[in-house]
Amino acid sequence: MKNAKVLSLMLSVLSTAVFAQDLEQAKKAIDAEQYDKAKKILKGLVKSSPDNGKNFFYLGDVYLREAKTDSATMIFNKGLAAKDKGTLNYIGLGQIDLDNKKSPQANFDKAAANIKKKDVDELLFIAKAYINSENPDYKKAIEITNKALLIDDKFPNSYLTMGDAQYGDKNAGEAFRAYESAYDYDKSLLIARVKYAAINKSAKNFTDAVKILNEVIAKDANFGPAYRELAETYYFWGSNEPTKYDEYIKKGLQYYEKYMSLTDYSVESRMRHADFLILAKDYKALEIEANEMKKLDKVNPRILRYLGYAAYENGNFAESSKAMTEFFAKVEPKRIIARDYLYLGLTKMAEAKKADGTYDEKIFNEGVAELNKAVEKDPVIASELNPLGQKMFKEKLYKNASKLFEVAIKNPKSKNYFADNFYLGYALYFDYDEKTSPKDQLAKADAAFSKVIELNAATQDAHLFKARANEAMGTPESKKIALTAYEEYLKLVNAKGDAEKAKPAVKKNLIEAYTFVGAHYANSADKAKAIENLEKLLAIDPANAYATKTLKALKA
């Protein structure tokens, strides 16, 4: 009997040791972003040790990382029934509340009710929930992590969590110090060094970031997150040094392939890869990756997003339209990002183009509506519309170009804001038809040229076209504005000297401007100004009949 008790105790100890070992393996797989491997281990633990709530909590957390909220909710609710640490799962449910913009406090309070005075992990789980939520509260995470540090000021994970919270709260200096402390207390905590490098990357200290990441790889050549961070560092480095962009993007793609080889090629890791391929604008590779993901998961709408993006960029517009339409039908509204609207709009525009090069206006306008949604959701998107608008303008599709540029100028901070306003004014002016155009079209053109002048008053052609637009309006007030604009145009051109005035196009514009100004003053009985401008007109166009006749009358 005594031997049986000893044997039972030994088996219990061995079972606990095996469980602890398996949980550690799962945690290492999570840190290495090997989510399929982690889920496999955790599902086994949930089945073999259903009384341990930690198993459920970690499994639910992996599902949250994969944005599979329904699966996470189911696991957390099952975990609540576990006898040991079951209340941890309230933390997961609290994070889901946060994600849904609800108060997590009730669930966090239930979890905290069973936290012992020296329990640090539980506090950090709550802090991480505040950090990892789609609607994070970094200050709350800092407050809770400080409580954990009061309990144990040498616990590495507390500093790692503090680093994440401070960085999210845009306090890079404090995040630096926290990550340093985490690594000082535990040299195996390589993720702290990777995150330290990420801060350097964000500060554009690319050389230091690469050096740190290479040191991480020297310690563990199989630590996947280091290669992913290297890939992203080289991408941003290349974006900041255009002359080296091709070289660095190639390196970035190579490092990402290495990262992929160290993951389990799960759908989640493939999605990370797809996100990077979008950054790198490698759409052929993206389409291949998206089709591979589709074989693994036929219901995940994110895969349809990648297919839609890639197909559009690769010229497969019908396939892009099908993928994006299906994506919008399946995805939760809160998961829709600005770029989704952008590609839906671009795809509709591509489909609207007819064989003769013109557009089906109904479908085209549907595309414009989607682009408006994209820019409303993320104004930065506006800067990407200029090339397509210019293409339409060059094809003399002025009405379509004007609609695109009207969307583009909605972001005054866009890098193309000046050019977009210029092209908008041009397109509206060239598209104007006295019989069919809206009455306010020339006024919109005038507003666009006025904005260009506001941004750079020395832009001579903006004054010229502002004059033309106002002259075409034909009202007494608009003619006064046209006069001022023509005079400013003449002033700017004359200031540039003979070389500028000798250009054929400029000479033609000068004749136009002097004719309008001279005629205005002749009709207003300001003989001196009329004679001055008409003589200048004759100087560049000696055969000008109007100038000759009018000067003769004025001097009679």
Side-chain angles (χ1 to χ4, degrees):
M1 189 70 178
K2 184 178 179 182
N3 288 340
K5 286 183 179 179
V6 171
L7 180 60
S8 175
L9 181 61
M10 287 176 64
L11 288 173
S12 175
V13 171
L14 285 170
S15 176
T16 303
V18 170
F19 157 73
Q21 186 181 27
D22 283 347
L23 185 57
E24 284 305 310
Q25 287 174 349
K27 287 158 71 175
K28 284 180 181 178
I30 293 169
D31 287 342
E33 298 168 7
Q34 297 171 338
Y35 297 129
D36 275 1
K37 180 179 178 181
K39 283 190 293 185
K40 186 177 180 181
I41 295 169
L42 290 165
K43 283 177 181 178
L45 290 175
V46 162
K47 189 175 181 180
S48 63
S49 304
D51 286 338
N52 194 302
K54 270 191 176 183
N55 301 331
F56 293 91
F57 175 74
Y58 276 104
L59 180 57
D61 183 61
V62 174
Y63 280 121
L64 278 186
R65 289 168 188 257
E66 295 179 328
K68 294 179 179 177
T69 307
D70 290 345
S71 297
T73 303
M74 181 184 71
I75 293 297
F76 289 138
N77 279 319
K78 283 185 177 180
L80 292 175
K83 294 177 183 177
D84 183 24
K85 300 286 186 181
T87 52
L88 276 180
N89 292 277
Y90 283 119
I91 299 172
L93 293 172
Q95 183 177 328
I96 292 170
D97 286 337
L98 267 174
D99 290 345
N100 292 322
K101 297 183 179 180
K102 296 177 182 177
S103 172
Q105 204 57 53
N107 277 310
F108 287 165
D109 286 346
K110 289 174 186 175
N114 290 305
I115 295 177
K116 297 174 183 176
K117 285 185 178 180
K118 292 189 178 182
D119 282 347
V120 173
D121 279 337
E122 284 82 347
L123 286 172
L124 295 181
F125 289 146
I126 295 173
K128 287 174 184 176
Y130 278 113
I131 294 167
N132 295 332
S133 171
E134 293 173 13
N135 301 294
D137 185 340
Y138 298 113
K139 292 193 186 307
K140 193 71 177 176
I142 292 168
E143 176 191 325
I144 294 168
T145 307
N146 274 323
K147 290 179 182 178
L149 285 167
L150 287 173
I151 296 170
D152 183 352
D153 64 359
K154 293 181 175 60
F155 190 54
N157 279 329
S158 294
Y159 290 101
L160 185 64
T161 305
M162 181 63 81
D164 292 345
Q166 294 286 7
Y167 188 54
D169 202 38
K170 295 181 170 42
N171 193 336
E174 290 298 323
F176 258 130
R177 283 185 279 277
Y179 290 138
E180 277 187 320
S181 296
Y183 187 69
D184 286 342
Y185 284 117
D186 183 356
K187 298 296 184 187
S188 71
L189 206 58
L190 296 178
I191 194 65
R193 295 300 286 162
V194 171
K195 293 185 176 190
Y196 189 91
I199 299 178
N200 276 284
K201 174 194 72 182
S202 297
K204 298 184 180 180
N205 297 327
F206 302 116
T207 303
D208 287 345
V210 168
K211 181 184 176 185
I212 294 163
L213 292 166
N214 281 326
E215 287 171 357
V216 171
I217 290 167
K219 286 182 175 291
D220 183 355
N222 294 317
F223 193 65
Y227 293 99
R228 176 178 50 75
E229 192 60 42
L230 266 172
E232 293 177 6
T233 300
Y234 274 108
Y235 163 73
F236 286 109
W237 198 352
S239 298
N240 279 270
E241 292 188 24
T243 57
K244 293 188 175 180
Y245 181 82
D246 289 342
E247 175 191 346
Y248 285 169
I249 205 66
K250 185 178 178 182
K251 277 189 177 182
L253 287 166
Q254 288 171 346
Y255 279 121
Y256 219 103
E257 292 302 325
K258 178 64 176 175
Y259 163 72
M260 289 298 293
S261 74
L262 294 169
T263 70
D264 45 16
Y265 283 95
S266 63
V267 171
E268 182 63 25
S269 63
R270 285 180 179 276
M271 284 182 177
R272 280 182 176 271
H273 186 210
D275 289 336
F276 185 77
L277 291 172
I278 291 171
L279 287 177
K281 295 182 169 58
D282 190 343
Y283 296 107
K284 292 198 180 299
L286 177 63
E287 195 159 7
I288 292 168
E289 186 68 282
N291 279 307
E292 287 300 314
M293 284 190 277
K294 198 173 181 182
K295 294 175 186 175
L296 298 171
D297 188 342
K298 294 182 179 179
V299 297
N300 194 315
R302 271 178 71 182
I303 297 168
L304 293 166
R305 168 189 286 156
Y306 299 132
L307 280 171
Y309 289 12
Y312 173 82
E313 296 292 348
N314 294 331
N316 303 324
F317 302 129
E319 186 179 336
S320 177
S321 177
K322 181 183 175 185
M324 293 308 298
T325 301
E326 194 177 346
F327 168 78
F328 272 87
K330 287 185 174 181
V331 72
E332 294 178 76
K334 70 176 184 178
R335 303 286 179 198
I336 296 172
I337 60 175
R339 195 157 293 277
D340 299 333
Y341 290 117
L342 171 68
Y343 274 97
L344 183 60
L346 293 176
T347 297
K348 282 183 177 292
M349 286 182 174
E351 284 195 301
K353 197 160 191 179
K354 296 185 285 188
D356 63 358
T358 62
Y359 288 93
D360 178 301
E361 290 302 314
K362 181 178 180 296
I363 300 173
F364 184 88
N365 289 338
E366 288 174 2
V368 171
E370 299 302 333
L371 295 185
N372 270 306
K373 291 177 189 175
V375 173
E376 285 168 14
K377 200 168 184 70
D378 182 5
V380 174
I381 292 283
S383 65
E384 299 183 37
L385 303 179
N386 184 276
L388 182 59
Q390 282 199 44
K391 185 173 182 293
M392 292 176 187
F393 184 86
K394 287 172 185 174
E395 292 172 352
K396 299 186 178 180
L397 299 167
Y398 300 125
K399 186 183 296 295
N400 303 103
S402 68
K403 289 178 180 179
L404 198 70
F405 286 118
E406 280 179 339
V407 180
I409 65 164
K410 289 190 172 182
N411 178 16
K413 295 181 180 178
S414 166
K415 64 180 181 180
N416 298 319
Y417 188 60
F418 177 85
D420 289 340
N421 272 285
F422 219 146
Y423 275 105
L424 173 59
Y426 278 155
L428 288 166
Y429 176 77
F430 288 128
D431 180 57
Y432 180 71
D433 184 296
E434 190 176 351
K435 295 179 181 178
T436 60
S437 295
K439 291 181 180 179
D440 65 343
Q441 185 163 320
L442 288 174
K444 286 182 178 180
D446 171 66
F449 292 126
S450 296
K451 180 57 68 175
V452 174
I453 292 165
E454 179 188 321
L455 296 170
N456 185 354
T459 312
Q460 64 191 43
D461 281 2
H463 293 282
L464 176 67
F465 277 88
K466 180 178 175 67
R468 288 173 174 173
N470 278 280
E471 183 183 1
M473 286 186 218
T475 67
E477 186 60 34
S478 70
K479 285 181 179 179
K480 289 179 184 177
I481 296 170
L483 174 67
T484 303
Y486 272 128
E487 287 184 319
E488 189 61 29
Y489 175 78
L490 291 169
K491 178 182 171 183
L492 289 168
V493 173
N494 283 314
K496 289 183 178 179
D498 293 339
E500 180 70 14
K501 291 189 284 184
K503 294 176 182 177
V506 175
K507 183 179 177 181
K508 185 179 177 182
N509 295 336
L510 286 171
I511 292 169
E512 174 191 331
Y514 279 125
T515 299
F516 182 92
V517 175
H520 171 83
Y521 286 119
N523 292 328
S524 67
D526 191 334
K527 285 187 178 182
K529 282 191 176 181
I531 290 169
E532 177 191 349
N533 282 280
L534 291 171
E535 284 180 341
K536 288 178 179 179
L537 173 56
L538 275 180
I540 57 174
D541 185 16
N544 192 290
Y546 170 76
T548 303
K549 181 181 176 181
T550 308
L551 276 171
K552 186 178 179 180
L554 289 169
K555 291 178 179 180

